[in-house]
Structure formats: structure tokens, C-alpha cells
Amino acid sequence: MILEEYIMKLKQDGKITAISKSVSKNLEIAGVLKTLEPKPVLFENVKESRFRVAGNLFCNKTQVADYFGITTEEIIPTLANAIENRSEPEQTSKAPCQEEVEDKVDLDILPILFHNEIDGGPYISSGVVVSSDPEYGQNLDFHRAMQIGRNRMVARVVSGRDFHRYLERNGEVDVAFCVGNTPEVLIAAATSVETGINELEIANALRPIRVTKAKTVDLMIPADCEFVLEGRVVLKERHAEGPFIDLTETVDVIRQEPIFEVKKITHRKSAIWQGLLPGRSEHKILMGMPREPTIFKKIKERGINVLDVYITPGGTSWLHVAVKIQKKNEDDGLQALEAAFAGHKSAKHIWVYDDDIDIYSDEEREWAMATRFQADVDLIMKDREPGSSLDPSAEPGTKLTTKCGFDCTRVIDAKGKGFAKAKFPEVDLKKYLGE
Ligand SMILES: Cc1cc2nc3c(=O)[nH]c(=O)nc-3n(C[C@H](O)[C@H](O)[C@H](O)COP(=O)(O)O)c2cc1C
């Protein structure tokens, strides 16, 4: 789907705040997005650019579910199904993202946002990077990129990502940074699947998309995205990248990272730039949610009746996981914890809950821990394992961390008080208060 069409639908339904006053791409847009979060915002008049900017579009599971016309509980099965049953997108030679082809590359025409005073420069934070390897084929990843000139950026490429592997194997790799995507492409790009799987086929299985050939590089790109920045990333040509706010909302260190030389800019005629606030909820949901089906699958493979998995925003949408199971055996909770850690190596703390707990409610999760958890039997601790590079408390360099799992499920054979929350009578208020 074209992002602008979705934004116009939000506008019709009164679900987006449209700002017609002139707003600067330098700090102001980020400030407004942060203040209005999670309300979607359309900036119709950007001081430094002829293009509009939209942000806060997919800040929580409800917004994502609404986009697909499903419930939040259906997100994991839908995504798991798309990962399993991938399908090839239709090809088109008339791609909206190539309606206009800029004669010369000038990144200054784009509303690349300067998000925060501490940032090293303006950053693309919503860019889906298409790359290719002669053996493995195409891959999609997210890589933030800091503008360092009119045609140059520096990209953050975490070691271990498929794109990093492609760079190590080939030295330099042609890329297309695609900005302005709808959730099928955004979510597919954020999945971590086997190297060699073309995530555009996951996107197509979520909802049919179209692809087109890029203008100057041999890549198939999402035809309906808003902007495409084509070019080349060279592993050994480096530049300082950062500081920048990472997923944990803390400031990432400055590193020497590979340069992205931009060779062509194409876009839709009425293209809208997609802003994505670093560290805030949209970044978090895109990072955590695509990992949930993997954890779900690992728990299911142990024969446990897992009902839902939620990588919680308070835990940076990466380090903390809440799992809901229907407990049948006394050790199901501990087994589920072990399986969940296997499904998400970056997780630091994982909780398992019964089916009567709303795992999307902070209060209910805490209640379950307060009333059902005993540390001497319900706690597992994994001392000094590699965790997430994002965790400021992990050992720098090695990522070593201590992981804990909390089994907050009730004992099946309860001896004392029961574990169920007592219910008050349900009444029809109209009977007492009138209409
Ligand atoms: C919004 C967003 C921004 C991200 N930024 C970066 C980044 O700057 N550098 C990076 O290496 N990974 C980044 N990631 C993570 C990876 O792109 C993501 O985990 C990737 O899908 C892993 O896929 P792979 O297994 O194909 O490498 C980001 C993810 C999201 C959702």
C-alpha cells in the first residue's frame, strides 16, 4: 500500500493531527512527534523542504493491527504465517517511487530530520535497506544513516546483521535506502530470518506488494514506497557515526562506520517523508514485535500451550519479554522460560504468566508476580551469558550479562488461598443511573 493513501485515510477518519504551520526539520518536528506520541502527525509545511513529513504512524500493536484489519492477538499468528508461507511479489515497471527521478543528488532537498541536540547530524531512521549478495540474494534490514554531505551518509551496520555479512563477503555492496513504507515492508525488514530469505517475500505474504527494478543498482525494491536513495556502501571507507539515541533511549557511542555514497534519488510526485523517533515507541514496536513469533515458536516446540508473547516497551522492546501460557504441567512455566530465552538471545528478563492475566497491562503483570511468584522455586538465573549490545549495564565489548526468568504462573495443586482474582457483581448501570 502507498503510505500517503494510508495517511489520507487516517485524515478522513480524524486519526491524524495535520499541522499546516511551518515546522522545522531541525529539532521541531521531533519535538512535536514526541509530545503528541502515539498520535500520528502529518507536517504539511516543512520549513526547509518541499516535501511533507509524517510520523507516529505505527507506535503500538493496536495501530499495526488496525492497519491490517486484525486484532492485536492475531499479529503473531499473521506474522508467523507470513514468515512460513512467503510469496513472490508482483513486478511493475511503472513504480510510484520512481515517478520523479532527481537529476542530481542533493540530500539537502529532503526533510532528513535532526532529532535531538546531542545527535551527530540529521538522520534517516526509517530507511529500509535493500541489498544483495551473489550467493544469498536479496536482503532487507534497517540501518540508520547520518548525513555527512550533499551525497554522502554514514550508516550504522551492527556486526552480525545480514547486511554486515554481505559487506564482509563483498567489500562493497549496492544498496537502496527506501523511506516511506507501510507495515508489510517495515515489519518484514525487521524480522531476523535465515540468511538468504528475501524479506520482500515475507512482506508480500503479509499483504500483496509490488516491486520494481531500481534505476542505477541491480536491486528489486518496494515499488510503492515514497523515496528511494540508491547508491553503494563500502565497508572500509569509514566516517564517525553518532552520537545518536538508540533503542534504549540512551545515547549511543560514536563509532567509525561505513560510508553510503548516494548516487540517485527517486520519489513519488507527492512523496511524504517518514519520520521515526529514535528510541521511542514506533522504533520499539518495529524492533520487538517481529521477534515475538520466533519466541512463540520455540515455546510451542516444547509442547507448551503458549497463547501470546509480548516484548514490552518498558523493557526497551528488546530486553524484557512477557509470555502467556495455558499451564498444564507444574514445570510448564520454567520450561517456557528456557524456550523463550532460546528464541531471543538478547532478552535479559522474561516473565511467564497464566491465561487469566492481561500481559498488555503493566498492573496485571505486576499483580501476577506479587501473588504467584516465589523466588526460591520460580526463578531461573543464567549467569554471565552474552546478551544485548544495547544494554548499557552489559559488560562493554563482550555483551556479558546475567539473565533472569520469572515463573509467575500459579501452582496447579494449590494448598492455601486460591489464585483467582475475586470478581465483583456485574450490573447494568442504566438500571440505577438511567440513560
Ligand atoms: C527502526 C529500526 C532501526 C534499526 N536500526 C539499525 C541500525 O541502525 N543498524 C543495524 O545494524 N540494525 C538496526 N536495526 C535492527 C536490524 O535492522 C534488524 O534487527 C534486522 O531486521 C535484522 O535482520 P537480519 O537478520 O536480516 O540482519 C534497526 C531495526 C529497526 C526496527
Side-chain angles (χ1 to χ4, degrees), residues 123-127 129 139-145 155-165 186-197 199 241 244 247 257 276-279 282-288 290-291 318:
Y123 264 90
I124 295 181
S125 53
S126 64
V129 183
N139 180 68
L140 298 195
D141 267 349
F142 275 90
H143 294 281
R144 70 193 190 209
R156 166 72 176 132
V157 187
V158 178
S159 156
R161 300 267 184 265
D162 282 344
F163 180 51
H164 184 253
R165 187 170 305 170
L186 294 169
I187 295 172
T191 55
S192 228
V193 286
E194 220 175 288
T195 311
I197 289 181
E199 286 100 339
E241 186 272 332
F244 195 59
L247 187 70
E257 291 287 311
L276 190 142
L277 282 189
E282 198 168 22
H283 186 185
K284 287 194 161 79
I285 202 83
L286 286 173
M287 190 77 185
R291 185 52 65 100
W318 198 236

Side-chain angles (χ1 to χ4, degrees), residues 199-394:
E199 286 100 339
L200 282 172
E201 296 185 359
I202 298 178
N204 192 61
L206 279 169
R207 186 184 273 182
I209 62 161
R210 300 181 306 162
V211 293
T212 197
K213 197 170 167 323
K215 289 283 175 198
T216 60
V217 287
D218 189 14
L219 294 169
M220 296 306 287
I221 55 174
D224 291 320
C225 70
E226 301 283 318
F227 293 86
V228 184
L229 279 60
E230 300 178 7
R232 172 168 285 207
V233 175
V234 182
L235 183 62
K236 290 220 168 98
E237 278 175 23
R238 303 227 161 202
H239 191 280
E241 186 272 332
F244 195 59
I245 298 176
D246 71 24
L247 187 70
T248 63
E249 294 175 76
T250 58
V251 180
D252 209 351
V253 296
I254 298 175
R255 300 180 184 85
Q256 292 295 318
E257 291 287 311
I259 286 176
F260 164 36
E261 194 191 331
V262 186
K263 294 183 176 164
K264 186 56 83 189
I265 297 176
T266 74
H267 53 84
R268 291 184 55 250
K269 264 200 185 92
S270 56
I272 300 181
W273 188 260
Q274 191 166 22
L276 190 142
L277 282 189
R280 297 300 305 171
S281 31
E282 198 168 22
H283 186 185
K284 287 194 161 79
I285 202 83
L286 286 173
M287 190 77 185
M289 193 178 59
R291 185 52 65 100
E292 291 165 358
T294 318
I295 301 172
F296 191 94
K297 192 170 166 216
K298 284 275 179 202
I299 303 173
K300 203 169 176 190
E301 280 167 3
R302 290 229 177 177
I304 293 160
N305 190 11
V306 53
L307 303 173
D308 205 358
V309 173
Y310 182 37
I311 299 190
T312 60
T316 78
S317 284
W318 198 236
L319 304 176
H320 282 182
V321 185
V323 176
K324 176 153 142 169
I325 63 168
Q326 189 184 37
K327 188 167 167 175
K328 293 199 177 120
N329 306 298
E330 213 53 270
D331 71 341
D332 276 1
L334 295 174
Q335 291 287 339
L337 286 172
E338 291 290 356
F341 276 118
H344 184 31
K345 303 267 188 249
S346 296
K348 185 160 80 168
H349 301 136
I350 303 182
W351 291 259
V352 177
Y353 302 96
D354 291 300
D355 50 356
D356 62 333
I357 302 300
D358 175 2
I359 61 170
Y360 296 95
S361 155
D362 297 347
E363 194 174 326
E364 283 212 24
R365 292 201 309 268
E366 188 178 348
W367 178 83
M369 184 154 180
T371 59
R372 299 180 182 183
F373 173 77
Q374 282 294 314
D376 60 339
V377 285
D378 294 327
L379 175 78
I380 56 171
M381 198 190 290
K382 298 167 165 293
D383 197 15
R384 315 288 289 159
E385 278 193 5
S388 170
S389 59
L390 290 166
D391 178 5
S393 76

